[in-house]
Amino acid sequence: MTSQNYCCLLAALALIGALGCGSDRSAGVGTGTVRLRLTDAPADIDAVNLVVDQVSVHRLSDGEDEGWEVIRTDDFTVDLLTLRNGVFVDFAEGVVPSGTYNQVRLLLNSGSSIVIDGETHPLTVPSGMQSGYKIHGEFEVPDGGEVVLLLDFDAERSVHQTGNGRWMLRPTCKAMVDHTAGSIAGSVEPATVETRVYALSGADTLGHTIAGEDGRFVLGLLGAGTYDVAFDPAPGWRDTTRAGIGVSAGATTDIGVTVLTPESTPPQ
């Protein structure tokens, strides 16, 4: 569960690839490049600003823990809500020992915030500044090559308000290697009707988004398979589902235009 008009606040930031600290780069261990790209499923809030001061990836060797490789060390801020409907931002990049990795870790700094109805609130991230937020998912860094890992941060499921009014971030994020991830794209008419769009596999929701101001939508980071696409428009319009949409790894299935039906036909 996850408008080309949305901007990315990080577009002007330089990517810094730092060599991992304390890494075992003995003879026979080659290197490759890992590149992280970030997107977000939408939420009914104005902004989710995360302040990050380190990004690292966790390496394995023959199933044994080989520690963390740091690939970005500069402080930066990302507004997750600018990354919707197929918009990605290059998030971090670095040269690391080739081999198997199974986690991405974000160390978060103070100053993260959430904006609701124009009002900014502090966002508390439990353990984010100490042990960091860890995203699980195994991937291979090829010797002399590059792997691109896509991260889909679900802000709507990640942000919670406590009983005393504090806002907490308990992140929900999925990761897929780019060439294994497929997507479904299309548009709704009328574009002026706010419409949530879901990718369903049986009883499971595997992706969701909100159609943009132009009616376009993209459901990304889907595994190869067959999905139903459910449309949940604003009150006054009927829900509808398009069944049996096939998705292939590394490809986008465009289902064209879905015309929404009003609940009742207005009098002539």
Side-chain angles (χ1 to χ4, degrees), residues 24 29 59-66 98-101 138 140:
D24 176 11
V29 178
R59 185 162 67 102
L60 299 175
S61 179
D62 297 325
E64 297 296 323
D65 181 354
E66 291 292 337
S98 57
T100 302
Y101 290 76
E138 190 166 298
E140 294 287 329

Side-chain angles (χ1 to χ4, degrees), residues 101-188:
Y101 290 76
N102 68 341
Q103 294 180 70
V104 175
R105 182 179 67 186
L106 310 180
L107 290 182
L108 304 178
N109 210 332
S110 59
S112 294
S113 64
I114 182 172
V115 182
I116 301 175
D117 295 330
E119 185 175 350
T120 301
H121 307 268
L123 188 60
T124 301
V125 187
S127 302
M129 298 172 62
Q130 291 79 41
S131 59
Y133 166 54
K134 299 179 180 67
I135 303 164
H136 296 268
E138 190 166 298
F139 58 97
E140 294 287 329
V141 177
D143 190 1
E146 178 184 78
V147 62
V148 178
L149 191 67
L150 305 179
L151 306 178
D152 187 359
F153 207 114
D154 192 335
E156 188 168 61
R157 293 186 173 187
S158 299
V159 177
H160 309 274
Q161 190 174 29
T162 65
N164 61 7
R166 297 174 60 198
W167 288 94
M168 307 284 289
L169 181 72
R170 299 187 183 278
T172 298
C173 186
K174 64 180 177 180
M176 294 185 71
V177 176
D178 64 340
H179 64 78
T180 70
S183 61
I184 299 171
S187 63
V188 297

Side-chain angles (χ1 to χ4, degrees), residues 15-17 34-38 55-56 71-72 76 89-94 106 149:
L15 297 177
I16 299 178
V34 57
R35 183 156 60 97
L36 306 182
R37 307 195 72 213
L38 180 70
V55 182
S56 55
I71 61 173
R72 185 169 182 172
F76 62 98
V89 64
D90 289 328
F91 187 58
E93 181 176 353
L106 310 180
L149 191 67

